[in-house]
């Protein structure tokens, strides 16, 4: 495992934000952290790259406890695309070259030509989408073994989003590097990620490879008899069930994510209705 997070807890003041978060990421995979706004994705990533210290739990990266020397193997795109005041493109390149021993000028130049970065303009004055692309160019050109990307396709138009998705897939597949992405774009993620964790209110609801998750989740209609399996949540008019039985139809990635999130939102009424396998839909105004 290239990343192993075990039981991390984090509070801001007295407010618990991460509760016993655990998941692991294999070398060479694209791992997606999905969840609604405020679920704790960014906070988890900030703990992972060492910007925040959890109160308890452990974080291992490249098989060791996270420490400063390991950080040359990790390149990060933060959610706010943090830029230094008055720093121009060239200034960033000088800085990133010093930080990352395997920096690739050729890769950065391809990005720069393709997206027409104005290297003489302070990056803080780029549009939000251009800042995202500039940050993406930096992290990919770093050639780091682990990329941590917070919402990497935010503010991008659909065509460029697709392009970025392909770039990240190539980074992982062709170079055998690991990428961790936090995102709301579950359609994009299904195409690119191989494993994922669903985070809700600071808890991991479910983590697995996408292939295995699809194998063990089915969509069944409300009036279907479910003798064996765990009812997870309601998705439109169907129920997501975790089971190894051949019932209903296979669930896609979006349905799996929605099932867990919807189920947990309205969990009590759903639980109460499981005893007789009747899903009372009135509490589920989704
Ligand atoms: N510095 C901070 N001080 C206090 N509370 C914070 C701080 N940073 C985050 N939080 C709170 O922690 C919770 C989780 O926030 P976080 O940014 O990790 O969520 P997220 O899943 O990344 O959300 P989004 O998808 O909207 O970016 C939220 O309730 C947020 O208000």
């Amino acid at each position: 495992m290239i990343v192993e997070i075990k039981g991390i807890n984090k509070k801001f003041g007295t407010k618990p934000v991460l509760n016993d978060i655990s998941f692991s990421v294999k070398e060479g995979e694209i791992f997606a952290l999905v969840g609604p706004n405020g679920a704790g994705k960014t906070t988890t990533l900030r703990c992972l790259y060492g910007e925040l210290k959890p109160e308890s739990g452990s974080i291992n990266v490249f098989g060791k406890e996270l420490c400063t020397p390991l950080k040359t193997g990790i390149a990060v795109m933060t959610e706010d695309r943090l830029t230094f005041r008055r720093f121009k493109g060239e200034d960033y390149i000088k800085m990133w070259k010093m930080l990352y021993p395997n920096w690739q000028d050729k890769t950065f130049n391809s990005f720069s030509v393709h997206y027409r970065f104005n290297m003489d303009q302070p990056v803080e004055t780029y549009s939000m989408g251009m800042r995202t692309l500039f940050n993406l160019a930096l992290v990919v050109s770093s050639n780091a073994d682990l990329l941590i990307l917070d919402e990497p396709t935010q503010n991008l138009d659909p065509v460029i989003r697709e392009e970025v998705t392909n770039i990240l897939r190539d980074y992982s597949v062709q170079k055998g590097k690991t990428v961790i992405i936090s995102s709301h774009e579950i359609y994009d993620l299904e195409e690119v990620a191989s494993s994922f964790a669903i985070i809700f209110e600071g808890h991991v609801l479910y983590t697995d490879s996408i292939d295995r998750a699809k194998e063990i989740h089915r969509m069944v209609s409300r009036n279907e008899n479910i003798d064996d399996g765990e009812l997870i949540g309601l998705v439109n008019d169907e129920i997501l069930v975790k089971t190894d039985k051949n019932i209903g139809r296979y669930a896609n990635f979006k349905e799996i994510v929605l099932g867990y999130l919807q189920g947990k939102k309205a969990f009590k009424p759903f639980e109460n209705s499981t005893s007789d396998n009747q899903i009372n839909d009135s509490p589920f105004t989704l």
Side-chain angles (χ1 to χ4, degrees):
M1 292 294 168
I2 204 155
V3 169
E4 254 190 312
I5 293 189
K6 279 196 191 146
I8 61 169
N9 290 283
K10 177 75 196 161
K11 284 185 189 158
F12 286 116
T14 54
K15 181 182 167 192
V17 170
L18 302 183
N19 304 291
D20 199 23
I21 294 275
S22 299
F23 60 85
S24 49
V25 181
K26 287 191 202 126
E27 188 171 359
E29 73 177 357
I30 298 188
F31 185 93
L33 271 185
V34 293
N37 294 116
K41 303 180 297 296
T42 297
T43 308
T44 304
L45 295 185
R46 290 175 72 198
C47 291
L48 176 55
Y49 58 78
E51 192 183 73
L52 291 175
K53 202 168 161 35
E55 281 95 39
S56 54
S58 66
I59 299 178
N60 277 29
V61 182
F62 309 129
K64 293 183 187 147
E65 200 177 322
L66 184 65
C67 58
T68 306
L70 292 182
K71 290 187 185 169
T72 57
I74 307 174
V76 179
M77 185 200 278
T78 58
E79 190 180 32
D80 51 11
R81 318 292 185 240
L82 206 61
T83 51
F84 294 102
R85 299 222 50 203
R86 287 188 289 277
F87 252 47
K88 295 180 180 168
E90 292 300 340
D91 301 320
Y92 278 98
I93 293 186
K94 276 185 212 146
M95 188 173 78
W96 278 63
K97 266 186 179 171
M98 283 193 291
L99 292 173
Y100 294 100
N102 299 321
W103 171 267
Q104 309 269 302
D105 268 329
K106 201 166 154 260
T107 307
F108 188 87
N109 291 340
S110 310
F111 271 93
S112 184
V113 170
H114 185 64
Y115 294 119
R116 301 192 188 145
F117 297 146
N118 181 346
M119 299 300 279
D120 294 326
Q121 185 184 337
V123 176
E124 66 189 303
T125 64
Y126 283 16
S127 71
M128 204 53 206
M130 285 304 276
R131 270 160 65 177
T132 297
L133 291 170
F134 184 81
N135 272 262
L136 182 80
L138 290 176
V139 293
V140 169
S141 307
S142 75
N143 209 17
D145 289 334
L146 173 61
L147 302 189
I148 299 177
L149 312 175
D150 202 344
E151 303 280 353
T153 54
Q154 208 173 34
N155 313 112
L156 301 179
D157 68 56
V159 174
I160 295 188
R161 240 174 42 208
E162 177 79 19
E163 223 167 62
V164 166
T165 304
N166 290 335
I167 291 168
L168 296 178
R169 188 191 293 115
D170 289 350
Y171 192 81
S172 154
V173 173
Q174 291 178 11
K175 292 173 171 262
K177 312 256 190 191
T178 312
V179 182
I180 300 179
I181 300 176
S182 127
S183 181
H184 301 282
E185 310 284 352
I186 42 187
Y187 291 106
D188 294 353
L189 290 175
E190 179 158 24
E191 281 179 36
V192 74
S194 41
S195 295
F196 67 107
I198 304 171
I199 299 197
F200 182 73
E201 293 181 350
H203 294 86
V204 173
L205 298 184
Y206 181 69
T207 180
D208 211 338
S209 73
I210 291 187
D211 286 347
R212 178 160 159 79
K214 285 178 174 173
E215 261 171 43
I216 60 171
H217 288 89
R218 298 297 180 109
M219 298 301 300
V220 299
S221 62
R222 288 175 191 221
N223 46 18
E224 203 163 331
N225 235 359
I226 305 157
D227 299 328
D228 203 349
E230 186 187 346
L231 303 183
I232 303 297
L234 202 59
V235 183
N236 299 322
D237 282 338
E238 293 173 293
I239 303 161
L240 178 73
V241 180
K242 189 175 174 202
T243 178
D244 53 8
K245 295 283 177 289
N246 188 15
I247 52 170
R249 62 173 178 85
Y250 284 106
N252 63 35
F253 179 60
K254 183 188 159 208
E255 288 165 336
I256 294 168
V257 173
L258 288 180
Y260 275 90
L261 294 176
Q262 309 277 30
K264 295 296 170 186
K265 252 194 237 166
F267 200 56
K268 281 209 169 103
F270 186 63
E271 261 191 344
N272 291 343
S273 61
T274 58
S275 55
D276 55 3
N277 276 339
Q278 292 289 312
I279 302 297
N280 174 5
D281 65 359
S282 60
F284 290 92
T285 329
L286 300 177

